[in-house]
């Protein structure tokens, strides 16, 4: 499958908040649920999405890959037969509502049940942007450490779900599961928290059930 | 040792480029070498700095810890007897020249040989700011993956050194050392590259020798 790469220009659309709301409504009308996936570089976004998509054959799923440069993630998706598009942010540290809309305008979404936006690897800037998603999730990998909600609180405040990834590395890294849950819930009492290992598949089903319920409810 | 926390206001100083140059000159006059340390959240900046400082007893070293919130890193430094200051960026994704100067104005640097700025955990935004450092280094941890120079090229272009951290996790994660060196050197042919495990101390001496030579040469 060929990978389509879009070079995005900033500020083609004006009025970001309205635009995000419009995007949400347009996708809701199409019955396409948009989920914004955010995390640091290397937290395992692409690997988790590939494993997730393989476990949800009942859903028609697409992925918008956002990166500053390169198309390695969209190529991985395409190699797995997933409909995907690579978005280049031109150096921007996160997708915003305008850039998301430009990407959507290039992507056939009408027949999709679920569309993931895999945002730029960054735990700071993406938390500040309403891209027009229906739900959002942050990934935090075990090697990053259980103190990250203390240092990057906004990200953990704004998301609907937190996925702790690479749980198979627990033996290698000190990571206090109870402490991380406590830190997340102090910032965001209603956040759903999942512990997953995409490699072994452990915990992925619970995350998939959450996604299925989100898709059903929009 | 008590931890000092500074809440920084943006744009107190105008003219960022000049200010960065002034900072560099002022610190050079004091014979204090400022090194800007950048990486993703959880790449191991604090742990590497602690191990580094313990191996350079001949140098008087201080650390400015920059984070959006929390003072956990400055507390770790203080607990180890390292002179440190915590800088809160007020949500900003990176330190800039003005914020760095405000922090320096609160920190006695005259008797320091070496001052580390441990920047906000972010592989994108800090690369765009000239804070006034004499040299800069990016850390990339093995769990993050060897493809990161492809996705975040600016960071790997602008730094003087790249430190690959958590090399003890190689058995757990696919990480091609040759490929990562090749990707970094294509962006930045003169970058010094170090492979270190701060836990075991492996490779830390070579990094320390580089730091010592930088301190001597400013």
């Amino acid at each position: 499958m060929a990978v389509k790469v879009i070079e995005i220009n900033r500020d083609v659309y004006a009025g970001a908040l309205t635009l995000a709301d419009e995007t949400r409504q347009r996708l809701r009308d199409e019955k396409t649920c948009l989920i914004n996936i955010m995390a640091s570089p290397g937290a395992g976004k692409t690997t988790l999405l590939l494993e997730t998509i393989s476990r949800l054959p009942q859903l028609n799923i697409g992925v918008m890959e956002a990166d500053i440069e390169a198309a390695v993630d969209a190529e991985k998706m395409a190699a797995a037969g997933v409909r995907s598009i690579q978005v280049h942010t031109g150096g921007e540290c996160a997708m915003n509502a305008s850039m998301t809309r430009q990407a959507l305008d290039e992507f056939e979404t009408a027949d999709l049940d679920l569309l993931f936006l895999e945002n730029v690897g960054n735990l700071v800037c993406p938390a500040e942007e309403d891209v027009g998603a229906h739900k959002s999730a942050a990934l935090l990998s075990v090697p990053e450490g259980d103190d990250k909600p203390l240092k990057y609180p906004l990200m953990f405040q704004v998301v609907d779900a937190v996925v702790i990834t690479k749980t198979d590395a627990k033996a290698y890294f000190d990571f206090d599961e109870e402490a991380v849950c406590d830190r997340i819930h102090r910032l965001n009492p209603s956040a759903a928290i999942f512990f997953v290992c995409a490699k072994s598949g452990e915990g992925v089903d619970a995350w998939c059930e959450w996604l299925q319920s989100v898709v059903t409810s929009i």
Side-chain angles (χ1 to χ4, degrees), chain A:
Chain A
M1 214 186 281
V3 168
K4 186 164 183 180
V5 176
I6 303 178
E7 309 294 336
I8 280 194
N9 303 306
R10 292 194 80 190
D11 302 320
V12 168
Y13 293 91
L17 185 65
T18 313
L19 185 65
D21 288 333
E22 271 178 29
T23 298
R24 244 184 308 275
Q25 191 54 51
R26 174 173 125 180
L27 291 170
R28 190 176 283 123
D29 292 344
E30 288 179 1
K31 294 196 168 63
T32 299
C33 177
L34 176 61
I35 299 197
N36 183 12
I37 304 287
M38 298 174 282
S40 294
K45 296 183 287 300
T46 311
T47 306
L48 178 64
L49 288 184
L50 283 168
E51 183 63 24
T52 299
I53 292 166
S54 78
R55 285 168 188 248
L56 290 167
Q58 70 275 27
L59 298 178
N60 203 354
I61 303 178
V63 181
M64 294 195 294
E65 298 287 352
D67 266 308
I68 289 170
E69 283 195 38
V72 287
D73 290 344
E75 282 159 9
K76 278 185 206 168
M77 289 292 159
V82 178
R83 200 197 305 174
S84 62
I85 195 169
Q86 181 74 48
V87 181
H88 285 169
T89 64
E92 290 299 314
C93 53
M95 290 289 282
N96 62 24
S98 165
M99 293 154 81
T100 304
R101 182 64 81 90
Q102 290 173 67
L104 284 169
D105 287 345
E106 298 285 332
F107 199 18
E108 286 299 309
T109 56
D111 63 330
L112 294 178
D113 304 304
L114 176 55
L115 176 60
F116 290 111
L117 169 61
E118 186 182 330
N119 217 314
V120 179
N122 185 335
L123 216 48
V124 186
C125 313
E128 296 171 3
E129 301 287 345
D130 180 1
V131 296
H134 301 100
K135 297 281 177 185
S136 62
L139 273 59
L140 173 67
S141 70
V142 163
E144 287 175 79
D146 54 36
D147 60 345
K148 296 303 167 285
L150 300 173
K151 294 181 170 187
Y152 307 95
L154 185 63
M155 178 58 79
F156 296 90
Q157 267 162 27
V158 299
V159 293
D160 302 288
V162 177
V163 186
I164 311 294
T165 59
K166 307 192 188 185
T167 55
D168 56 331
K170 269 189 293 188
Y172 253 76
F173 299 95
D174 295 328
F175 191 94
D176 188 329
E177 299 191 353
E178 209 178 303
V180 85
C181 288
D182 185 53
R183 287 163 185 164
I184 293 165
H185 281 146
R186 257 188 256 174
L187 294 163
N188 184 350
S190 66
I193 303 178
F194 304 97
F195 288 83
V196 309
C197 171
K199 248 193 223 169
S200 72
E202 204 185 323
V204 180
D205 279 339
W207 156 246
C208 288
E209 280 165 29
W210 183 82
L211 288 168
Q212 175 67 68
S213 76
V214 166
V215 169
T216 308
S217 68
I218 72 151

